[in-house]
mmCIF file of all heavy atoms in Angstrom:
data_model
loop_
_atom_site.group_PDB
_atom_site.id
_atom_site.type_symbol
_atom_site.label_atom_id
_atom_site.label_comp_id
_atom_site.label_asym_id
_atom_site.label_seq_id
_atom_site.Cartn_x
_atom_site.Cartn_y
_atom_site.Cartn_z
ATOM 1 N N TRP J 336 3.998 19.739 10.016
ATOM 2 C CA TRP J 336 4.384 19.022 11.219
ATOM 3 C C TRP J 336 3.190 18.400 11.924
ATOM 4 O O TRP J 336 3.243 17.314 12.440
ATOM 5 C CB TRP J 336 5.109 20.004 12.186
ATOM 6 C CG TRP J 336 6.545 20.163 11.838
ATOM 7 C CD1 TRP J 336 7.137 21.323 11.300
ATOM 8 C CD2 TRP J 336 7.638 19.244 12.024
ATOM 9 N NE1 TRP J 336 8.499 21.122 11.103
ATOM 10 C CE2 TRP J 336 8.792 19.863 11.549
ATOM 11 C CE3 TRP J 336 7.669 17.939 12.522
ATOM 12 C CZ2 TRP J 336 10.058 19.200 11.581
ATOM 13 C CZ3 TRP J 336 8.891 17.290 12.539
ATOM 14 C CH2 TRP J 336 10.044 17.934 12.081
ATOM 15 N N ASP J 337 2.049 19.197 11.945
ATOM 16 C CA ASP J 337 0.814 18.638 12.521
ATOM 17 C C ASP J 337 0.383 17.372 11.767
ATOM 18 O O ASP J 337 0.051 16.344 12.381
ATOM 19 C CB ASP J 337 -0.272 19.690 12.490
ATOM 20 C CG ASP J 337 -1.513 19.237 13.205
ATOM 21 O OD1 ASP J 337 -1.435 18.534 14.213
ATOM 22 O OD2 ASP J 337 -2.637 19.639 12.741
ATOM 23 N N LEU J 338 0.433 17.462 10.431
ATOM 24 C CA LEU J 338 0.067 16.308 9.603
ATOM 25 C C LEU J 338 1.010 15.119 9.805
ATOM 26 O O LEU J 338 0.558 13.951 9.979
ATOM 27 C CB LEU J 338 0.092 16.731 8.157
ATOM 28 C CG LEU J 338 -0.316 15.692 7.101
ATOM 29 C CD1 LEU J 338 -1.664 15.102 7.395
ATOM 30 C CD2 LEU J 338 -0.294 16.349 5.714
ATOM 31 N N ARG J 339 2.279 15.410 9.906
ATOM 32 C CA ARG J 339 3.282 14.325 10.100
ATOM 33 C C ARG J 339 3.021 13.618 11.428
ATOM 34 O O ARG J 339 3.053 12.383 11.508
ATOM 35 C CB ARG J 339 4.701 14.908 10.055
ATOM 36 C CG ARG J 339 5.784 13.854 10.220
ATOM 37 C CD ARG J 339 7.150 14.546 10.172
ATOM 38 N NE ARG J 339 8.239 13.599 10.342
ATOM 39 C CZ ARG J 339 9.533 13.933 10.388
ATOM 40 N NH1 ARG J 339 9.917 15.217 10.165
ATOM 41 N NH2 ARG J 339 10.449 13.076 10.558
ATOM 42 N N GLY J 340 2.764 14.396 12.493
ATOM 43 C CA GLY J 340 2.472 13.823 13.751
ATOM 44 C C GLY J 340 1.263 12.963 13.730
ATOM 45 O O GLY J 340 1.194 11.870 14.385
ATOM 46 N N LYS J 341 0.233 13.435 13.108
ATOM 47 C CA LYS J 341 -1.038 12.632 13.039
ATOM 48 C C LYS J 341 -0.843 11.347 12.206
ATOM 49 O O LYS J 341 -1.361 10.284 12.601
ATOM 50 C CB LYS J 341 -2.142 13.494 12.435
ATOM 51 C CG LYS J 341 -2.573 14.630 13.339
ATOM 52 C CD LYS J 341 -3.561 15.547 12.669
ATOM 53 C CE LYS J 341 -4.046 16.617 13.627
ATOM 54 N NZ LYS J 341 -4.957 17.640 12.940
ATOM 55 N N LEU J 342 -0.063 11.405 11.123
ATOM 56 C CA LEU J 342 0.150 10.188 10.344
ATOM 57 C C LEU J 342 0.979 9.181 11.097
ATOM 58 O O LEU J 342 0.762 7.974 10.917
ATOM 59 C CB LEU J 342 0.894 10.600 9.063
ATOM 60 C CG LEU J 342 0.089 11.367 7.996
ATOM 61 C CD1 LEU J 342 1.017 11.886 6.905
ATOM 62 C CD2 LEU J 342 -1.006 10.467 7.442
ATOM 63 N N ARG J 343 1.815 9.655 12.010
ATOM 64 C CA ARG J 343 2.671 8.727 12.805
ATOM 65 C C ARG J 343 2.110 8.500 14.237
ATOM 66 O O ARG J 343 2.715 7.760 15.008
ATOM 67 C CB ARG J 343 4.075 9.267 12.899
ATOM 68 C CG ARG J 343 4.780 9.347 11.527
ATOM 69 C CD ARG J 343 6.231 9.641 11.649
ATOM 70 N NE ARG J 343 6.861 9.539 10.337
ATOM 71 C CZ ARG J 343 8.167 9.786 10.126
ATOM 72 N NH1 ARG J 343 8.973 10.083 11.136
ATOM 73 N NH2 ARG J 343 8.649 9.664 8.925
ATOM 74 N N ASP J 344 0.924 9.140 14.520
ATOM 75 C CA ASP J 344 0.299 9.000 15.803
ATOM 76 C C ASP J 344 1.245 9.374 16.947
ATOM 77 O O ASP J 344 1.353 8.676 17.988
ATOM 78 C CB ASP J 344 -0.209 7.580 16.015
ATOM 79 C CG ASP J 344 -1.261 7.506 17.142
ATOM 80 O OD1 ASP J 344 -1.908 8.484 17.372
ATOM 81 O OD2 ASP J 344 -1.335 6.423 17.757
ATOM 82 N N GLU J 345 1.954 10.487 16.788
ATOM 83 C CA GLU J 345 2.903 10.973 17.793
ATOM 84 C C GLU J 345 2.778 12.491 17.931
ATOM 85 O O GLU J 345 2.510 13.157 16.924
ATOM 86 C CB GLU J 345 4.363 10.661 17.410
ATOM 87 C CG GLU J 345 4.663 9.153 17.433
ATOM 88 C CD GLU J 345 6.150 8.903 17.116
ATOM 89 O OE1 GLU J 345 6.575 9.339 16.000
ATOM 90 O OE2 GLU J 345 6.835 8.314 17.945
ATOM 91 N N PRO J 346 2.985 13.047 19.081
ATOM 92 C CA PRO J 346 3.027 14.483 19.226
ATOM 93 C C PRO J 346 4.213 15.074 18.453
ATOM 94 O O PRO J 346 5.241 14.450 18.326
ATOM 95 C CB PRO J 346 3.265 14.718 20.761
ATOM 96 C CG PRO J 346 2.914 13.418 21.407
ATOM 97 C CD PRO J 346 3.237 12.364 20.378
ATOM 98 N N VAL J 347 4.026 16.338 18.005
ATOM 99 C CA VAL J 347 5.131 16.977 17.287
ATOM 100 C C VAL J 347 6.386 17.081 18.122
ATOM 101 O O VAL J 347 7.500 16.918 17.575
ATOM 102 C CB VAL J 347 4.646 18.342 16.830
ATOM 103 C CG1 VAL J 347 5.822 19.250 16.343
ATOM 104 C CG2 VAL J 347 3.601 18.292 15.702
ATOM 105 N N SER J 348 6.228 17.316 19.414
ATOM 106 C CA SER J 348 7.430 17.413 20.248
ATOM 107 C C SER J 348 8.292 16.156 20.201
ATOM 108 O O SER J 348 9.531 16.203 20.272
ATOM 109 C CB SER J 348 7.035 17.726 21.682
ATOM 110 O OG SER J 348 6.061 16.804 22.165
ATOM 111 N N THR J 349 7.647 14.981 20.089
ATOM 112 C CA THR J 349 8.418 13.750 19.937
ATOM 113 C C THR J 349 9.184 13.747 18.657
ATOM 114 O O THR J 349 10.354 13.352 18.576
ATOM 115 C CB THR J 349 7.479 12.540 19.980
ATOM 116 O OG1 THR J 349 6.785 12.531 21.211
ATOM 117 C CG2 THR J 349 8.262 11.252 19.825
ATOM 118 N N LEU J 350 8.595 14.222 17.557
ATOM 119 C CA LEU J 350 9.260 14.261 16.255
ATOM 120 C C LEU J 350 10.374 15.283 16.233
ATOM 121 O O LEU J 350 11.306 15.116 15.451
ATOM 122 C CB LEU J 350 8.218 14.581 15.186
ATOM 123 C CG LEU J 350 7.019 13.613 15.073
ATOM 124 C CD1 LEU J 350 6.085 14.105 13.981
ATOM 125 C CD2 LEU J 350 7.512 12.202 14.758
ATOM 126 N N LEU J 351 10.270 16.349 17.075
ATOM 127 C CA LEU J 351 11.287 17.357 17.064
ATOM 128 C C LEU J 351 12.496 16.994 17.951
ATOM 129 O O LEU J 351 13.370 17.793 18.139
ATOM 130 C CB LEU J 351 10.705 18.653 17.623
ATOM 131 C CG LEU J 351 9.597 19.336 16.757
ATOM 132 C CD1 LEU J 351 9.054 20.545 17.409
ATOM 133 C CD2 LEU J 351 10.180 19.709 15.374
ATOM 134 N N GLY J 352 12.484 15.813 18.487
ATOM 135 C CA GLY J 352 13.632 15.360 19.253
ATOM 136 C C GLY J 352 13.289 14.841 20.634
ATOM 137 O O GLY J 352 14.165 14.374 21.363
ATOM 138 N N GLY J 353 12.009 14.936 21.052
ATOM 139 C CA GLY J 353 11.591 14.389 22.342
ATOM 140 C C GLY J 353 11.287 15.513 23.329
ATOM 141 O O GLY J 353 12.043 16.496 23.391
ATOM 142 N N ARG J 354 10.248 15.329 24.119
ATOM 143 C CA ARG J 354 9.890 16.383 25.040
ATOM 144 C C ARG J 354 10.571 16.222 26.394
ATOM 145 O O ARG J 354 10.787 15.131 26.870
ATOM 146 C CB ARG J 354 8.358 16.383 25.239
ATOM 147 C CG ARG J 354 7.713 15.188 25.866
ATOM 148 C CD ARG J 354 6.231 15.437 26.199
ATOM 149 N NE ARG J 354 5.482 15.764 25.025
ATOM 150 C CZ ARG J 354 4.186 16.187 25.051
ATOM 151 N NH1 ARG J 354 3.627 16.343 26.224
ATOM 152 N NH2 ARG J 354 3.539 16.452 23.984
ATOM 153 N N CYS J 355 10.958 17.402 26.913
ATOM 154 C CA CYS J 355 11.539 17.448 28.245
ATOM 155 C C CYS J 355 10.490 17.758 29.288
ATOM 156 O O CYS J 355 10.766 17.606 30.479
ATOM 157 C CB CYS J 355 12.600 18.582 28.294
ATOM 158 S SG CYS J 355 13.943 18.442 27.114
ATOM 159 N N HIS J 356 9.350 18.318 28.854
ATOM 160 C CA HIS J 356 8.316 18.788 29.787
ATOM 161 C C HIS J 356 6.952 18.389 29.346
ATOM 162 O O HIS J 356 6.639 18.342 28.153
ATOM 163 C CB HIS J 356 8.360 20.328 29.883
ATOM 164 C CG HIS J 356 9.691 20.971 29.855
ATOM 165 N ND1 HIS J 356 10.505 20.930 30.999
ATOM 166 C CD2 HIS J 356 10.416 21.585 28.900
ATOM 167 C CE1 HIS J 356 11.669 21.527 30.723
ATOM 168 N NE2 HIS J 356 11.604 21.906 29.445
ATOM 169 N N ASP J 357 6.122 18.140 30.333
ATOM 170 C CA ASP J 357 4.693 17.916 30.051
ATOM 171 C C ASP J 357 3.855 19.161 30.276
ATOM 172 O O ASP J 357 2.672 19.275 29.919
ATOM 173 C CB ASP J 357 4.130 16.802 30.917
ATOM 174 C CG ASP J 357 4.694 15.438 30.546
ATOM 175 O OD1 ASP J 357 4.941 15.215 29.333
ATOM 176 O OD2 ASP J 357 5.018 14.670 31.447
ATOM 177 N N ALA J 358 4.491 20.182 30.892
ATOM 178 C CA ALA J 358 3.897 21.474 31.111
ATOM 179 C C ALA J 358 5.006 22.533 31.214
ATOM 180 O O ALA J 358 6.148 22.210 31.593
ATOM 181 C CB ALA J 358 3.017 21.490 32.399
ATOM 182 N N VAL J 359 4.706 23.769 30.899
ATOM 183 C CA VAL J 359 5.699 24.863 30.956
ATOM 184 C C VAL J 359 5.069 26.022 31.699
ATOM 185 O O VAL J 359 3.886 26.232 31.724
ATOM 186 C CB VAL J 359 6.218 25.278 29.593
ATOM 187 C CG1 VAL J 359 6.923 24.126 28.890
ATOM 188 C CG2 VAL J 359 5.043 25.746 28.723
ATOM 189 N N ARG J 360 5.945 26.846 32.271
ATOM 190 C CA ARG J 360 5.462 28.056 32.997
ATOM 191 C C ARG J 360 4.790 29.037 32.021
ATOM 192 O O ARG J 360 5.268 29.253 30.889
ATOM 193 C CB ARG J 360 6.641 28.830 33.667
ATOM 194 C CG ARG J 360 7.358 28.036 34.742
ATOM 195 C CD ARG J 360 8.507 28.855 35.291
ATOM 196 N NE ARG J 360 9.557 29.117 34.315
ATOM 197 C CZ ARG J 360 10.575 29.932 34.509
ATOM 198 N NH1 ARG J 360 10.678 30.622 35.678
ATOM 199 N NH2 ARG J 360 11.502 30.121 33.559
ATOM 200 N N GLY J 361 3.711 29.622 32.459
ATOM 201 C CA GLY J 361 3.092 30.611 31.646
ATOM 202 C C GLY J 361 3.261 32.012 32.215
ATOM 203 O O GLY J 361 3.423 32.185 33.469
ATOM 204 N N TYR J 362 3.284 33.028 31.379
ATOM 205 C CA TYR J 362 3.158 34.408 31.863
ATOM 206 C C TYR J 362 2.084 35.077 31.027
ATOM 207 O O TYR J 362 1.881 34.797 29.858
ATOM 208 C CB TYR J 362 4.526 35.154 31.802
ATOM 209 C CG TYR J 362 5.008 35.494 30.414
ATOM 210 C CD1 TYR J 362 4.665 36.694 29.785
ATOM 211 C CD2 TYR J 362 5.846 34.633 29.702
ATOM 212 C CE1 TYR J 362 5.153 37.054 28.554
ATOM 213 C CE2 TYR J 362 6.347 34.965 28.478
ATOM 214 C CZ TYR J 362 6.002 36.155 27.865
ATOM 215 O OH TYR J 362 6.401 36.494 26.634
ATOM 216 N N ALA J 363 1.385 35.994 31.635
ATOM 217 C CA ALA J 363 0.220 36.576 31.019
ATOM 218 C C ALA J 363 0.588 37.842 30.243
ATOM 219 O O ALA J 363 1.098 38.790 30.817
ATOM 220 C CB ALA J 363 -0.812 36.946 32.065
ATOM 221 N N THR J 364 0.266 37.791 28.971
ATOM 222 C CA THR J 364 0.376 39.017 28.138
ATOM 223 C C THR J 364 -1.038 39.631 28.054
ATOM 224 O O THR J 364 -2.060 38.899 28.062
ATOM 225 C CB THR J 364 0.829 38.679 26.710
ATOM 226 O OG1 THR J 364 2.236 38.362 26.817
ATOM 227 C CG2 THR J 364 0.666 39.852 25.780
ATOM 228 N N GLY J 365 -1.109 40.962 27.961
ATOM 229 C CA GLY J 365 -2.346 41.708 27.878
ATOM 230 C C GLY J 365 -2.021 43.108 28.280
ATOM 231 O O GLY J 365 -0.995 43.692 27.807
ATOM 232 N N HIS J 366 -2.836 43.727 29.160
ATOM 233 C CA HIS J 366 -2.483 44.993 29.737
ATOM 234 C C HIS J 366 -2.267 46.070 28.724
ATOM 235 O O HIS J 366 -1.328 46.868 28.813
ATOM 236 C CB HIS J 366 -1.282 44.849 30.656
ATOM 237 C CG HIS J 366 -1.300 43.578 31.404
ATOM 238 N ND1 HIS J 366 -0.487 42.471 31.094
ATOM 239 C CD2 HIS J 366 -2.093 43.077 32.433
ATOM 240 C CE1 HIS J 366 -0.746 41.430 31.861
ATOM 241 N NE2 HIS J 366 -1.731 41.802 32.675
ATOM 242 N N TYR J 367 -3.130 46.117 27.691
ATOM 243 C CA TYR J 367 -3.029 47.062 26.594
ATOM 244 C C TYR J 367 -3.731 48.371 26.985
ATOM 245 O O TYR J 367 -4.451 48.478 27.981
ATOM 246 C CB TYR J 367 -3.642 46.480 25.344
ATOM 247 C CG TYR J 367 -2.824 45.387 24.744
ATOM 248 C CD1 TYR J 367 -3.084 44.020 25.111
ATOM 249 C CD2 TYR J 367 -1.849 45.609 23.772
ATOM 250 C CE1 TYR J 367 -2.327 42.970 24.565
ATOM 251 C CE2 TYR J 367 -1.132 44.577 23.232
ATOM 252 C CZ TYR J 367 -1.297 43.292 23.659
ATOM 253 O OH TYR J 367 -0.588 42.298 23.112
ATOM 254 N N PHE J 368 -3.502 49.386 26.133
ATOM 255 C CA PHE J 368 -4.074 50.705 26.363
ATOM 256 C C PHE J 368 -5.524 50.748 25.911
ATOM 257 O O PHE J 368 -5.890 49.986 25.007
ATOM 258 C CB PHE J 368 -3.274 51.780 25.624
ATOM 259 C CG PHE J 368 -1.798 51.644 25.823
ATOM 260 C CD1 PHE J 368 -0.892 51.960 24.720
ATOM 261 C CD2 PHE J 368 -1.227 51.221 26.993
ATOM 262 C CE1 PHE J 368 0.442 51.879 24.899
ATOM 263 C CE2 PHE J 368 0.190 51.064 27.127
ATOM 264 C CZ PHE J 368 0.970 51.428 26.125
ATOM 265 N N LYS J 369 -6.309 51.595 26.528
ATOM 266 C CA LYS J 369 -7.728 51.668 26.193
ATOM 267 C C LYS J 369 -8.049 53.037 25.505
ATOM 268 O O LYS J 369 -7.443 54.036 25.821
ATOM 269 C CB LYS J 369 -8.559 51.554 27.434
ATOM 270 C CG LYS J 369 -8.263 50.268 28.276
ATOM 271 C CD LYS J 369 -8.528 48.987 27.546
ATOM 272 C CE LYS J 369 -8.253 47.808 28.416
ATOM 273 N NZ LYS J 369 -8.421 46.541 27.671
ATOM 274 N N HIS J 370 -9.008 52.968 24.577
ATOM 275 C CA HIS J 370 -9.516 54.193 23.977
ATOM 276 C C HIS J 370 -10.204 55.101 25.000
ATOM 277 O O HIS J 370 -10.841 54.617 25.976
ATOM 278 C CB HIS J 370 -10.514 53.859 22.904
ATOM 279 C CG HIS J 370 -9.926 53.898 21.496
ATOM 280 N ND1 HIS J 370 -9.191 54.929 21.005
ATOM 281 C CD2 HIS J 370 -10.035 52.976 20.489
ATOM 282 C CE1 HIS J 370 -8.805 54.678 19.743
ATOM 283 N NE2 HIS J 370 -9.285 53.487 19.414
ATOM 284 N N ASP J 371 -10.108 56.407 24.814
ATOM 285 C CA ASP J 371 -10.948 57.351 25.579
ATOM 286 C C ASP J 371 -10.840 57.200 27.055
ATOM 287 O O ASP J 371 -11.813 57.293 27.828
ATOM 288 C CB ASP J 371 -12.421 57.268 25.175
ATOM 289 C CG ASP J 371 -12.634 57.452 23.642
ATOM 290 O OD1 ASP J 371 -11.922 58.322 23.090
ATOM 291 O OD2 ASP J 371 -13.439 56.728 23.093
ATOM 292 N N ALA J 372 -9.598 56.959 27.557
ATOM 293 C CA ALA J 372 -9.375 56.886 29.006
ATOM 294 C C ALA J 372 -8.250 57.859 29.344
ATOM 295 O O ALA J 372 -7.250 57.979 28.622
ATOM 296 C CB ALA J 372 -8.977 55.471 29.378
ATOM 297 N N SER J 373 -8.449 58.537 30.434
ATOM 298 C CA SER J 373 -7.388 59.437 30.914
ATOM 299 C C SER J 373 -6.161 58.670 31.357
ATOM 300 O O SER J 373 -6.241 57.455 31.510
ATOM 301 C CB SER J 373 -7.881 60.299 32.109
ATOM 302 O OG SER J 373 -8.090 59.464 33.209
ATOM 303 N N LEU J 374 -5.085 59.357 31.622
ATOM 304 C CA LEU J 374 -3.863 58.614 31.973
ATOM 305 C C LEU J 374 -4.023 57.932 33.332
ATOM 306 O O LEU J 374 -3.615 56.768 33.457
ATOM 307 C CB LEU J 374 -2.666 59.634 32.116
ATOM 308 C CG LEU J 374 -1.272 59.082 32.215
ATOM 309 C CD1 LEU J 374 -0.959 58.096 31.043
ATOM 310 C CD2 LEU J 374 -0.244 60.181 32.250
ATOM 311 N N SER J 375 -4.648 58.543 34.269
ATOM 312 C CA SER J 375 -4.925 57.910 35.565
ATOM 313 C C SER J 375 -5.834 56.705 35.380
ATOM 314 O O SER J 375 -5.645 55.677 36.074
ATOM 315 C CB SER J 375 -5.508 58.875 36.558
ATOM 316 O OG SER J 375 -6.777 59.381 36.128
ATOM 317 N N GLU J 376 -6.811 56.792 34.491
ATOM 318 C CA GLU J 376 -7.695 55.652 34.220
ATOM 319 C C GLU J 376 -6.927 54.516 33.579
ATOM 320 O O GLU J 376 -7.159 53.340 33.868
ATOM 321 C CB GLU J 376 -8.851 56.091 33.375
ATOM 322 C CG GLU J 376 -9.893 56.950 34.063
ATOM 323 C CD GLU J 376 -10.916 57.557 33.123
ATOM 324 O OE1 GLU J 376 -10.603 57.734 31.913
ATOM 325 O OE2 GLU J 376 -12.024 57.861 33.599
ATOM 326 N N GLN J 377 -5.999 54.854 32.657
ATOM 327 C CA GLN J 377 -5.153 53.794 32.060
ATOM 328 C C GLN J 377 -4.387 53.097 33.144
ATOM 329 O O GLN J 377 -4.373 51.828 33.156
ATOM 330 C CB GLN J 377 -4.150 54.494 31.085
ATOM 331 C CG GLN J 377 -4.745 55.232 29.916
ATOM 332 C CD GLN J 377 -5.246 54.330 28.786
ATOM 333 O OE1 GLN J 377 -5.103 53.093 28.843
ATOM 334 N NE2 GLN J 377 -5.863 54.942 27.813
#
Side-chain angles (χ1 to χ4, degrees):
W336 279 108
D337 185 34
L338 180 55
R339 180 179 179 182
K341 290 172 177 174
L342 289 170
R343 296 190 174 180
D344 197 29
E345 293 182 302
V347 166
S348 52
T349 300
L350 302 178
L351 295 177
R354 63 172 60 189
C355 305
H356 320 283
D357 293 321
V359 297
R360 296 181 294 173
Y362 71 90
T364 288
H366 323 105
Y367 289 90
F368 314 144
K369 307 299 182 184
H370 260 311
D371 303 323
S373 68
L374 192 56
S375 61
E376 288 171 334
Q377 300 282 356

